[in-house]
Amino acid sequence: MAGKERLDELAESVNNLLTSVSSMVKSELEGTNNTMELLEKMNLKVAEEYKGFGDLASGLRVFVEQLKSKSGSFDDYVQQIDAIENQVTNFEGVISMLDQYVSFLESKMHSLYQHPTT
């Protein structure tokens, strides 16, 4: 009987060992499964986030194209402003020369009035 009890104890120990190993493997698989589910959720969230970035980038591209087309129409105005600025600079030069000439004439007139010729 001692041998049979010994075999029963051994069988029970092996059964407990296998049950424990089975529980451990099951826990490991559940942990791995939970990790995979978490990764799947994270991937979905990131994909959703990148989709938003894609939409934003597309909107920005359209906005930049609109700005380019608008800035192109300003080129004509910029050229006109540059031409006007050049004309104003030329007029300022002419006005400066006229101012100097008028000053010269005034000084001549003062000189004539102070020293009248008789």
Side-chain angles (χ1 to χ4, degrees):
M1 289 262 214
K4 182 162 169 83
E5 285 180 16
R6 184 89 170 127
L7 282 176
D8 286 343
E9 283 180 22
L10 183 59
E12 187 178 331
S13 293
V14 169
N15 188 30
N16 287 341
L17 174 66
L18 291 176
T19 302
S20 296
V21 168
S22 174
S23 294
M24 183 186 76
V25 169
K26 182 180 176 188
S27 295
E28 287 284 327
L29 289 175
E30 285 175 352
T32 302
N33 190 38
N34 289 341
T35 302
M36 291 298 193
E37 287 176 359
L38 177 63
L39 282 174
E40 181 181 12
K41 288 177 184 176
M42 289 171 63
N43 281 338
L44 291 173
K45 182 68 176 169
V46 167
E48 181 180 315
E49 195 74 24
Y50 278 119
K51 182 184 181 305
F53 287 148
D55 293 344
L56 177 65
S58 178
L60 285 175
R61 183 183 54 77
V62 169
F63 180 69
V64 166
E65 291 299 321
Q66 290 173 345
L67 284 178
K68 281 183 182 178
S69 69
K70 287 179 182 179
S71 71
S73 64
F74 285 120
D75 287 343
D76 293 336
Y77 296 120
V78 170
Q79 289 174 354
Q80 290 175 7
I81 290 170
D82 287 342
I84 291 170
E85 184 180 8
N86 287 336
Q87 289 175 351
V88 166
T89 302
N90 291 337
F91 287 144
E92 286 174 345
V94 169
I95 289 170
S96 176
M97 287 176 28
L98 287 174
D99 188 45
Q100 289 175 1
Y101 184 69
V102 166
S103 294
F104 171 75
L105 289 177
E106 284 178 348
S107 69
K108 268 239 188 237
M109 292 298 287
H110 284 300
S111 172
L112 288 175
Y113 281 119
Q114 288 177 356
H115 304 293
T117 55
T118 23

